[in-house]
Amino acid sequence: MTADNEMEIKEAFQRAQRGHNNKAKLVASLKSRYCKLEDKTLFHEEFVHYMKYAMIVYKREPTVENVIEFVARFATSFQSAPKAGEEEGEQEEQEEEEDEDIEDDHPFLSFIFNFLLESHKASSHAVRFRVCQLINKLLGSMAENAQIDDDLFDRIHQAMLVRVTDKFPNVRIQAALAMTRLQQPKDPDCPTINAYMLILENDSNAEVRRAVLSCIAMSPRTLPKVLKRTRDIKENVRKLAYQVLSDKVHIQALSIAQRVNLLQQGLRDTSEAVRDVVCSRLLPSWLQRLDGNVIELLHRLDVENCSQTALDTLKAIFKGTPAEELLQNRVQLDNRKLIPVDCLTCETVLYWRALCEFIKEKGDDGDEMLEQVLPDAASYADYLYGHLSGGRAEERSPYLKAVPLLSEEQRADFNQLELVMTKEFISQQLIHLIGCLDTNEEGGRKRVLAVLQEMLALPQTPSSLVSLLTEKLLALILDDLRRIQTVAEIISDVREPITETSVPVDENESRRQQVQLAEVKVRIMEANQTLEDCIAAQDFSRAAGLKDTITELENRRNNVIQEIAASSQQADKETRVEKNDPETLLRCLTMCAELLKQMSIKTRIGPTISALMSSLVLPCIANAHPAVRNMAVVCLGTCTLHSRELAKTHMVLLLQIAQLDEIKIRISALRAIIDLLLLFGFELLSDSAAAQTAPPSQSPDRQEEDAPVAEEKGDTPEETSQSIIVMLSEFLDSEVSDLRTETAEGLAKLIYTGRMSSAKMLSRLVLLWYNPVTEDDTRLRHCLGVFFQLYARESRAHQEVLEESFLPTVRTLMNAPATSPLAEVDINNVVELLVELTRPTALIKPSTNTEEVCVHDFLAVRICGEMLRDPTAPEVRLYAKTLSNLELSRDETVRRDLQTLLQQLVQVVKDRNCLRFLEKMVSQLVDSKEQAELLNASALQPLDVNADEAAADDPSKSAKRAKRGQRKVCTPRTGRKPSRRAESSEESDGENVPESVPMVRPSRRAKSAALEKTKLDLNPLIDQEANV
């Protein structure tokens, strides 16, 4: 090759480094020179020679990136796309000959590919990175219908499959992007698709996962993997996953469960950026494919089973819709602003409710809009009553039917059952709309109250609506005494309905029976009160006699009631007959439970509530129907929150139920016990019958192991409190996940509020959090994860309890047998968690006094003592590594004692790794002591200057402090320097990925250094090589 030709190639590379140069002109000029050459071999070698200078640079320098872009453009300029007409007219043999001709006509492109494929196994990660980047750019720059040789295709494919497993994330990213056009989605065994799915599942680098998400082809095989990335740990990966789903996946390609999960997780994501993508990208794309029909979108979500998700979806849509358009797109309302029967479906009524609630949330600004979509309170009350009752529908709403009651035969018919469930759902949404009504006007509010009371008393009102109706009724009544009186009257009407007969009877006889019944009831109430007093006084012998008396009185009352019932059948008068069927009792208990929940905690228990307790709640505790028993326990637990005396009386009963009944009822009782302990503390047990609180028998060894001693505040009997703690500790080992989760949540509340303080129980919770058995219990993991952080950051006293639980936790894990699930727990991660939670900088209000003794000082002494007990134990290495990660205070006494302990350990410990950690700790303590002496000598300097000098004298230590404060609680830490792989992970780019990870703002010095690096010029290297 002549000197002119060499200068032409060299000059092209030099100009290509500058971004303002027109690369198209450079490519055209160099291509014309290339086409004039007869022997193109020297040109190939010279071109690759200059290209290598750019391939040995790993960092994304602008000059290098410009050269890479120039190389890709020049190489692909020889690639010409085949014409469509030629492809259709030629036969298979002619196509093969054309492919061979294409390969022969482009020797330069083949030469570049061959060179890159031969270099992809280079030892330099920079070369591997540039090889994959060039292949990616070469394939991406080709025409959409371009063709390459099958052999070359296979070679590229195999090379990139190797590089997607490279240890450097940037190499993996470019390799994954290079395989974008090599995918074959219709091939069930496509290696590229398999590699992509493997990367999405297992790659530790978020940018690599994002790169694969951006280029993976959608198919039935890849869709579940992309859906799983919406739950990725990294915010940017989740965000990109939603973007890919909105752009590439049609709503019909997703199942109902997948659509609901996407919306449920996306709209409630912790990241605002992810929520914005769901609202601005995913929902509009779905609506666009459904021609903007929101009702049709609700049809695709199964609103009956996911009403809350549908409500969140509608409100997200409404936020991005102008007010005028909201009123135009409202549901089809008639002239009374009500939905006609033809349009009354689950979707339309839910849309109506969501629209009204959204406008209601605007406050005064939405009052005028609300009047256009909702009628007045009285009209809506009649509309709702006509829908539910059906008895007098002609007077109020002729076109609405009542919710039918099904017989046993009809319940077996799935179609009938589905119809009833649909009507119940519609009724629920209509009841929810009561909260949007304007009830300031007296007449409308009274009409709504009357309708709600009448619907609660109607026998055909479904049981599933009773709680909601009661809630809306109580929301309209502000006074607690009036609430109690109203609900008590409704319960009386439901349980003792009025009946009529047509045959006259003797009035004197009827009056005598009523007086006799009232007398028996009064005696029963007096006997019950006396029985409660005897139990409170622990007079059990007299209580046993009273129970027999009460039984006799109840039998007598039943006989009188039977006589009255028999005589009333012949009487033409209204009488009340008590109903004790499970459905009636459940309705009454539901109303009672809702009343007790809505009452203020300061409202005391009056005569009306006491009567409900004695006549309804307590008898239902022994009912044979589980649902009735469960609701009775809920009522009892809620009622005891209003009275300390009542809580003392029934605490024993709740403890027995928590251990002996069915799981659901035990959980309700357990919740009640936890609430009582949270409200009243363990002092509540001081007046209880301690002998009756003992849990089922268990071995003394088990008690010593699982029953941590609670430090209660007060004169609580230790045995009684111990028995409750033992019971809760046993529940933590339960195989029933719901019971275990409820117990863990309750203990976390007790510990956090200070009702109990136990290092052993805290250790149990830490072990439960890490236990593989609870891996699928999302609620338990989330609850404990939040609790540990809040508890540790609250105060130093809490950190001291965590410090006490350190050694018991580690011993339990180290001594766990191979058959135990705890043997699979990563002890390093547990130790790291406890160390991070006990850091002084983790406190919400950390101490500014660096001389103050901190929790890590005590932890260091404990660890040293444990190591001295057995210097040859296998956990000594773990302890030594932990010591190097502690934040020690500057207290001289503590440092002197710790230095003495470390010197003793250095003499007895034989493990080399441990000795290295220990010697490092000793040297740090000595250095810090010398620095302190120097600082104390300079007395003329102010205190803040000394602190600055101390940080300047020991920059490594100050840097470590800063990093420790920035680390997450559960992020694994090691004492080693960051590996090259970790450094490369931080440098991983996001080329062809929509959004990159936001970087921390660098300092001014770092900016200057980065600016100098961007001025990298390849010309000196090229000139030096040319001179040689």
Side-chain angles (χ1 to χ4, degrees), residues 245-252 281-282 284-292 300:
L245 289 172
S246 62
D247 296 338
K248 298 182 180 181
V249 181
H250 196 282
I251 186 174
Q252 293 182 350
R281 296 283 294 274
L282 185 66
S285 67
W286 285 3
L287 284 174
Q288 184 180 5
R289 293 181 174 97
L290 298 174
D291 299 329
R300 308 295 178 95

Side-chain angles (χ1 to χ4, degrees), residues 64-65 181 186 249 274 323 326 565 587 609 748 848 884 915 918 940 1000:
V64 180
E65 295 301 317
R181 302 188 67 176
K186 297 182 179 179
V249 181
V274 177
L326 280 178
R587 290 165 63 92
I609 296 294
T848 56
S884 63
L915 286 175
L918 296 175
L940 296 178
V1000 180

Side-chain angles (χ1 to χ4, degrees), residues 113-136:
F113 270 122
N114 292 332
F115 168 75
L116 294 175
L117 294 175
E118 291 172 358
S119 306
H120 85 92
K121 294 183 179 180
S123 59
S124 171
H125 62 280
V127 175
R128 299 197 303 272
F129 168 67
R130 295 300 178 181
V131 166
C132 295
Q133 184 186 23
L134 274 170
I135 293 178
N136 173 33

Side-chain angles (χ1 to χ4, degrees), residues 799-818:
Q799 288 189 335
E800 292 175 355
V801 180
L802 281 165
E803 181 259 333
E804 292 178 15
S805 66
F806 179 86
L807 289 180
T809 304
V810 175
R811 289 171 187 162
T812 303
L813 291 174
M814 295 299 297
N815 299 329

Side-chain angles (χ1 to χ4, degrees), residues 534-701:
C534 292
I535 293 176
Q538 299 187 2
D539 188 358
F540 300 111
S541 58
R542 185 180 177 189
L546 286 173
K547 284 185 177 180
D548 298 336
T549 304
I550 292 173
T551 303
E552 294 177 359
L553 289 174
E554 288 179 346
N555 293 334
R556 184 177 176 185
R557 182 194 63 184
N558 294 333
N559 293 333
V560 173
I561 291 175
Q562 291 178 0
E563 292 176 3
I564 293 175
S567 61
S568 64
Q569 293 179 356
Q570 303 176 358
D572 188 12
K573 60 181 296 186
E574 294 182 351
T575 58
R576 293 184 177 272
V577 179
E578 188 177 44
K579 298 173 65 176
N580 290 316
D581 58 288
E583 185 176 355
T584 301
L585 292 176
L586 188 60
R587 290 165 63 92
C588 296
L589 288 170
T590 303
M591 287 186 280
C592 183
E594 195 63 38
L595 169 65
L596 294 170
K597 290 178 184 177
Q598 297 291 336
M599 282 172 50
S600 173
I601 195 67
K602 298 180 181 179
T603 304
R604 311 307 300 171
I605 299 298
T608 305
I609 296 294
S610 300
L612 287 175
M613 287 289 295
S614 59
S615 63
L616 177 65
V617 177
L618 292 177
C620 290
I621 294 289
N623 194 282
H625 201 277
V628 175
R629 288 204 311 276
N630 181 60
M631 190 56 66
V633 170
V634 172
C635 291
L636 178 61
T638 312
C639 188
T640 51
L641 295 175
H642 295 267
S643 172
R644 187 184 185 92
E645 296 300 323
L646 197 63
K648 292 178 182 178
T649 303
H650 297 291
M651 187 64 162
V652 177
L653 177 60
L654 291 173
L655 288 171
Q656 292 176 349
I657 295 173
Q659 299 174 76
L660 302 176
D661 216 317
E662 295 185 5
I663 293 298
K664 186 177 180 180
I665 305 174
R666 292 173 64 188
I667 292 175
S668 299
L670 178 62
R671 289 174 180 168
I673 294 170
I674 296 296
D675 289 341
L676 290 176
L677 294 178
L678 286 172
L679 184 61
F680 301 115
F682 283 85
E683 300 91 338
L684 179 67
L685 305 173
S686 58
D687 298 333
S688 300
Q692 299 183 19
T693 61
S697 60
Q698 56 180 213
S699 63
D701 296 337

Side-chain angles (χ1 to χ4, degrees), residues 766 769-770 781 806 809-810 813 824-837 878 881-882 968-974:
V766 172
W769 193 41
Y770 277 98
R781 291 286 180 99
F806 179 86
T809 304
V810 175
L813 291 174
E824 304 175 12
V825 177
D826 184 4
I827 303 179
N828 292 318
N829 195 266
V830 179
V831 170
E832 177 200 343
L833 169 69
L834 296 176
V835 169
E836 293 293 337
L837 291 177
L878 174 66
K881 180 181 176 182
T882 305
K968 293 183 180 179
V969 171
C970 298
T971 305
R973 286 181 64 221
T974 59

Side-chain angles (χ1 to χ4, degrees), residues 886-903:
L886 298 180
E887 273 186 33
L888 302 178
S889 66
R890 297 181 181 179
D891 185 83
E892 288 302 322
T893 304
V894 174
R895 287 182 173 270
R896 193 182 309 112
D897 296 341
L898 188 58
Q899 186 176 353
T900 304
L901 291 172
L902 290 173
Q903 289 174 352

